[in-house]
Amino acid sequence: MSPSYAPGLAYFKRPRYPVSVEPGPRFAGVAAALVGGAGDVLSEWLDRYVRSPLRLPGAVDRDALGAQCEPLVAALAVALAADDVRPGAPSLREVEKGLSFLGAHLSASGCSGFDAAALVCALRDTLLDRLGHNDPSDGERDALFHLFDWFSAVALDAFAQGCRAEVTERFHEQLVDRTPVVLVAPDVPAAFPIGDARVNGLRGVFARLALTIARVGARVVIVDASGLSSQDDPEILAALSEYASHRKIAGRVALVACGLSDRGVSAWRRVTGAAGMAFEVRQRFWEALGAALERSDFAYSRRRGP
Amino acid sequence: MSPSYAPGLAYFKRPRYPVSVEPGPRFAGVAAALVGGAGDVLSEWLDRYVRSPLRLPGAVDRDALGAQCEPLVAALAVALAADDVRPGAPSLREVEKGLSFLGAHLSASGCSGFDAAALVCALRDTLLDRLGHNDPSDGERDALFHLFDWFSAVALDAFAQGCRAEVTERFHEQLVDRTPVVLVAPDVPAAFPIGDARVNGLRGVFARLALTIARVGARVVIVDASGLSSQDDPEILAALSEYASHRKIAGRVALVACGLSDRGVSAWRRVTGAAGMAFEVRQRFWEALGAALERSDFAYSRRRGP
C-alpha cells in the first residue's frame, strides 16, 4: 500500500481488516447477546481472563475483579446498540470511561501490563464467541475486532497513566513524611521543603512544623526555601498563607526564611504580612539560625579549649 | 462456553479465533514477505502508524522512529520463519526484546499509551496485509492476529514499566539535587538525606557534602539520618563507606550523626571506624549541632537584651 493513498480511504482496499471502524458499522449481534445475557458475558469474560496465557500467573480474586468489570459490561450493552459506534462518539463515552477506570484500577492493584492486555483480549474474545453462528461476511466480527484495538488503547493508556500516578503518589507521601523538620535549637524548629509544588506537599510539611511549634513552644521557626523549585508558585503561596494565618501561629511565631530568590522574598513577604506574621529574610542558613536564636531562649557558646 | 471445559482445550471449539497460538502454527507467508521486503514492511508500518486513528494527533519523526523499529522487523523476519513460534519460545526472544525496547523507548519519548498501541496495531495490520491473497482458511492470518495479542502485551507492559521508571528517575534526580545540604554554621555543613536507598541517591548527597567541606574548610559535618527509611541498607552503607574513605575526608573531617536507630548506630560506627573517621552520635539535631560547634571555630552567643 503506497503512502499516496488518501488517508482514511486506504483501508477500504482490504475491507476484511479495516484499521478504523469508521464509517460506523453496527453491532446488532453482540448488542443482542449482551442485552440478553450480560451476566453470562461477565462470567465467561472472567473465566477467559483467569485462563489467559497472556496474564502473569497468579491467583485472581474473581469477586473483586467482577465488581470492577460489571459496569463496563452494562455500558457496552447500551453502547453497542447505538447507531453510531466509533472511537470518540458520544455513544461510546461510558464504555471509554469504564475502560479507563478499569486500566487505572489494574495499575493501582499492582497488576502488570500483561494482565491489563489479557483482560481486554478476554472481553473481546468472549464477545466474538457470541457471534459464532453469524455469517462472518456481515462485517460485525471484523468491526468488533478493530473496535477492540481502540478499547485496548484506552485501557492501556489509562493503565500506564495509573503507573505514573502510583509512583508519583508514593514519592509524594515519602516527601511529606520525610521532608526534614528538625529542632536546630531546643525551641527553634527548621523545615527544608523540597521539590516542586505538584509533589512537595508543602501543606503536610507546614502541618508537621505547626505540631513541632506546639510541642516545644517555639516563638520562631526557620524555613530554608532553597530546595523549592518554584518559590512563588500559587500552590506554595497558598500553603504558606494557610500556615501563616493559623490562629495559634499568626502574630505569635516569627518566620526566618533563607534560600529565597528575589521573587520569592516579595511573594513570601506579602503573604506573611497579610497574616500579621513577623518575617525576616537571610541569605544563608547559618545567618537565619543566628537571627532565630536572637528570638529564642537558647545560645550555642563554644567551650574554650585547647 | 462453560468454565467446565478443560483450559487449553476450550479454544479448539472456535478454531477461527484461538486465544493462544499454541500448538504452534507456522507463519510461512508472512515470513516470506518479510525476508523479501523488510524495507517495504518498515516503510508501510510507519505510514500506517502516521495515519493511525488510534494515536494522539501530532507530528511523527519518521527517521528517528524508523531507526527504533528497523531491528524489530529484522528480528521478526528470522523469528517467524522458525518452526516453533509461540509466546516465550526461544525463537521469539529477539522479537520480544525488541518489543520491550520499543515500548520503553516510546515511554521515554513522552508518547502516550495510545501511540504505543497504535504502533503495534500498525505493524500487525501491515503484516496481515501481506497475507491478503492467501486462503484465509489456512489459519496463518488468525494465528498472526493472536500472536499480536502477545506482542501487544509485551510492548505495552514495557511501556507502562517505562512510565514508572521515568517518574522514578525524575524524583531521583530531584532528591539528589534538592536534598538539603546547608551550612548550619559558616564552617559546619549538615545534610538531611531522605527516603529509601533505591531512590535517595545518597552518593550524590555525599558528593555535594564533600564539595561543601572543601569550599568552607570544614573539620566536622552533621548528617541527620532520621529521613532515611533503611539506615543500614547495604547501598546506604556503601555510599557512607565511599564518603568516609575519601582521601581528603578520612581522618580529617569528623562526622556527627543524629536520628539514627540502634542498628543504624552500630552499622555507621563500623563503617566510619574502618575508614578512620571520627564519629559521634547524638539523639537530636540540636545536640548534634552543639557537638559539632565544639569542633568548629564558630559559636552562636545570644545577645542579652530586653
Side-chain angles (χ1 to χ4, degrees), chain A residues 25-32 34-35 74-85 91-92 95 140 147:
Chain A
R26 299 177 66 174
F27 297 92
V30 70
L34 277 163
V35 169
L76 267 176
V78 175
L80 295 183
D83 279 341
D84 183 29
V85 178
S91 56
L92 276 189
V95 173
E140 182 171 351
L147 185 61

Short mmCIF file of all heavy atoms in Angstrom, two decimals, chain A residues 25-32 34-35 74-85 91-92 95 140 147:
data_model
loop_
_atom_site.label_atom_id
_atom_site.label_comp_id
_atom_site.label_asym_id
_atom_site.label_seq_id
_atom_site.Cartn_x
_atom_site.Cartn_y
_atom_site.Cartn_z
N PRO A 25 -19.91 0.74 11.39
CA PRO A 25 -20.71 -0.47 11.26
C PRO A 25 -21.53 -0.67 12.53
O PRO A 25 -21.26 -0.05 13.56
CB PRO A 25 -19.65 -1.57 11.12
CG PRO A 25 -18.45 -1.03 11.79
CD PRO A 25 -18.50 0.46 11.67
N ARG A 26 -22.50 -1.49 12.47
CA ARG A 26 -23.35 -1.70 13.63
C ARG A 26 -23.02 -3.02 14.31
O ARG A 26 -22.43 -3.90 13.71
CB ARG A 26 -24.81 -1.60 13.20
CG ARG A 26 -25.08 -0.22 12.62
CD ARG A 26 -26.47 -0.10 12.11
NE ARG A 26 -27.41 -0.21 13.22
CZ ARG A 26 -28.72 -0.02 13.08
NH1 ARG A 26 -29.22 0.25 11.88
NH2 ARG A 26 -29.51 -0.13 14.11
N PHE A 27 -23.40 -3.11 15.55
CA PHE A 27 -23.03 -4.27 16.36
C PHE A 27 -24.29 -4.95 16.90
O PHE A 27 -24.38 -5.24 18.09
CB PHE A 27 -22.10 -3.84 17.49
CG PHE A 27 -20.79 -3.29 16.99
CD1 PHE A 27 -20.64 -1.93 16.77
CD2 PHE A 27 -19.74 -4.13 16.70
CE1 PHE A 27 -19.44 -1.42 16.29
CE2 PHE A 27 -18.53 -3.63 16.22
CZ PHE A 27 -18.38 -2.27 16.01
N ALA A 28 -25.25 -5.20 15.99
CA ALA A 28 -26.55 -5.72 16.42
C ALA A 28 -26.41 -7.08 17.11
O ALA A 28 -27.03 -7.33 18.15
CB ALA A 28 -27.48 -5.83 15.21
N GLY A 29 -25.57 -7.94 16.55
CA GLY A 29 -25.46 -9.29 17.09
C GLY A 29 -24.92 -9.31 18.51
O GLY A 29 -25.52 -9.90 19.41
N VAL A 30 -23.83 -8.62 18.71
CA VAL A 30 -23.20 -8.65 20.03
C VAL A 30 -24.04 -7.83 21.02
O VAL A 30 -24.13 -8.19 22.21
CB VAL A 30 -21.73 -8.18 19.95
CG1 VAL A 30 -21.61 -6.72 19.65
CG2 VAL A 30 -20.99 -8.54 21.21
N ALA A 31 -24.68 -6.76 20.55
CA ALA A 31 -25.57 -5.99 21.44
C ALA A 31 -26.71 -6.87 21.94
O ALA A 31 -27.05 -6.84 23.13
CB ALA A 31 -26.10 -4.75 20.71
N ALA A 32 -27.29 -7.67 21.04
CA ALA A 32 -28.39 -8.56 21.44
C ALA A 32 -27.90 -9.58 22.47
O ALA A 32 -28.57 -9.84 23.48
CB ALA A 32 -28.96 -9.27 20.21
N LEU A 34 -25.50 -9.19 24.55
CA LEU A 34 -25.23 -8.51 25.81
C LEU A 34 -26.52 -8.20 26.56
O LEU A 34 -26.60 -8.37 27.78
CB LEU A 34 -24.46 -7.20 25.56
CG LEU A 34 -22.96 -7.34 25.39
CD1 LEU A 34 -22.38 -6.10 24.74
CD2 LEU A 34 -22.30 -7.57 26.75
N VAL A 35 -27.52 -7.74 25.82
CA VAL A 35 -28.78 -7.39 26.47
C VAL A 35 -29.42 -8.65 27.07
O VAL A 35 -29.93 -8.66 28.19
CB VAL A 35 -29.75 -6.70 25.47
CG1 VAL A 35 -31.15 -6.58 26.06
CG2 VAL A 35 -29.19 -5.34 25.09
N ALA A 74 -22.32 -3.58 31.38
CA ALA A 74 -23.60 -2.87 31.27
C ALA A 74 -23.48 -1.71 30.28
O ALA A 74 -24.37 -1.49 29.44
CB ALA A 74 -24.02 -2.35 32.65
N ALA A 75 -22.37 -0.98 30.35
CA ALA A 75 -22.19 0.16 29.45
C ALA A 75 -22.06 -0.31 28.00
O ALA A 75 -22.58 0.33 27.08
CB ALA A 75 -20.94 0.95 29.86
N LEU A 76 -21.38 -1.44 27.80
CA LEU A 76 -21.23 -1.99 26.45
C LEU A 76 -22.58 -2.37 25.86
O LEU A 76 -22.83 -2.15 24.66
CB LEU A 76 -20.34 -3.24 26.49
CG LEU A 76 -18.86 -3.05 26.25
CD1 LEU A 76 -18.15 -4.39 26.44
CD2 LEU A 76 -18.58 -2.51 24.85
N ALA A 77 -23.45 -2.96 26.69
CA ALA A 77 -24.76 -3.39 26.20
C ALA A 77 -25.53 -2.19 25.64
O ALA A 77 -26.19 -2.29 24.60
CB ALA A 77 -25.55 -4.07 27.33
N VAL A 78 -25.44 -1.06 26.33
CA VAL A 78 -26.13 0.15 25.85
C VAL A 78 -25.42 0.70 24.61
O VAL A 78 -26.05 1.01 23.59
CB VAL A 78 -26.14 1.21 26.97
CG1 VAL A 78 -26.74 2.52 26.46
CG2 VAL A 78 -26.93 0.70 28.18
N ALA A 79 -24.09 0.81 24.70
CA ALA A 79 -23.33 1.50 23.65
C ALA A 79 -23.41 0.77 22.31
O ALA A 79 -23.59 1.40 21.26
CB ALA A 79 -21.88 1.64 24.08
N LEU A 80 -23.26 -0.54 22.33
CA LEU A 80 -23.17 -1.27 21.07
C LEU A 80 -24.52 -1.36 20.36
O LEU A 80 -24.59 -1.74 19.19
CB LEU A 80 -22.56 -2.66 21.29
CG LEU A 80 -21.11 -2.65 21.77
CD1 LEU A 80 -20.56 -4.07 21.88
CD2 LEU A 80 -20.22 -1.83 20.84
N ALA A 81 -25.59 -1.02 21.07
CA ALA A 81 -26.91 -0.99 20.42
C ALA A 81 -27.13 0.32 19.66
O ALA A 81 -28.11 0.45 18.92
CB ALA A 81 -28.00 -1.18 21.47
N ALA A 82 -26.22 1.30 19.85
CA ALA A 82 -26.40 2.60 19.19
C ALA A 82 -26.09 2.52 17.70
O ALA A 82 -25.46 1.56 17.23
CB ALA A 82 -25.50 3.64 19.87
N ASP A 83 -26.53 3.54 16.96
CA ASP A 83 -26.29 3.57 15.52
C ASP A 83 -24.85 3.93 15.19
O ASP A 83 -24.26 3.40 14.26
CB ASP A 83 -27.20 4.63 14.86
CG ASP A 83 -28.60 4.06 14.64
OD1 ASP A 83 -28.72 2.82 14.65
OD2 ASP A 83 -29.53 4.87 14.49
N ASP A 84 -24.34 4.88 15.94
CA ASP A 84 -23.07 5.48 15.57
C ASP A 84 -22.00 5.07 16.57
O ASP A 84 -21.69 5.79 17.51
CB ASP A 84 -23.23 7.00 15.57
CG ASP A 84 -21.95 7.68 15.12
OD1 ASP A 84 -21.20 7.07 14.34
OD2 ASP A 84 -21.70 8.82 15.58
N VAL A 85 -21.43 3.87 16.36
CA VAL A 85 -20.44 3.35 17.30
C VAL A 85 -19.06 3.49 16.68
O VAL A 85 -18.72 2.75 15.75
CB VAL A 85 -20.72 1.88 17.64
CG1 VAL A 85 -19.64 1.36 18.59
CG2 VAL A 85 -22.09 1.73 18.26
N SER A 91 -21.85 7.89 21.97
CA SER A 91 -22.40 6.60 22.39
C SER A 91 -21.38 5.74 23.14
O SER A 91 -21.74 4.89 23.93
CB SER A 91 -22.91 5.82 21.17
OG SER A 91 -21.85 5.67 20.24
N LEU A 92 -20.09 5.97 22.85
CA LEU A 92 -19.06 5.14 23.48
C LEU A 92 -18.47 5.75 24.75
O LEU A 92 -17.59 5.16 25.37
CB LEU A 92 -17.92 4.86 22.49
CG LEU A 92 -18.11 3.71 21.51
CD1 LEU A 92 -16.81 3.43 20.76
CD2 LEU A 92 -18.57 2.44 22.23
N VAL A 95 -18.42 3.65 27.87
CA VAL A 95 -17.53 2.49 27.72
C VAL A 95 -16.08 2.94 27.86
O VAL A 95 -15.28 2.30 28.56
CB VAL A 95 -17.76 1.80 26.36
CG1 VAL A 95 -16.70 0.71 26.14
CG2 VAL A 95 -19.15 1.22 26.29
N GLU A 140 -19.54 -7.64 11.14
CA GLU A 140 -19.62 -7.28 12.55
C GLU A 140 -18.41 -7.81 13.33
O GLU A 140 -17.85 -7.11 14.17
CB GLU A 140 -20.92 -7.83 13.17
CG GLU A 140 -21.06 -7.42 14.64
CD GLU A 140 -22.42 -7.75 15.23
OE1 GLU A 140 -23.34 -8.13 14.45
OE2 GLU A 140 -22.57 -7.62 16.45
N LEU A 147 -12.70 -2.41 16.76
CA LEU A 147 -13.16 -1.56 17.85
C LEU A 147 -12.35 -1.87 19.11
O LEU A 147 -12.02 -0.97 19.90
CB LEU A 147 -14.66 -1.81 18.11
CG LEU A 147 -15.33 -0.90 19.14
CD1 LEU A 147 -15.27 0.56 18.71
CD2 LEU A 147 -16.78 -1.33 19.37
#
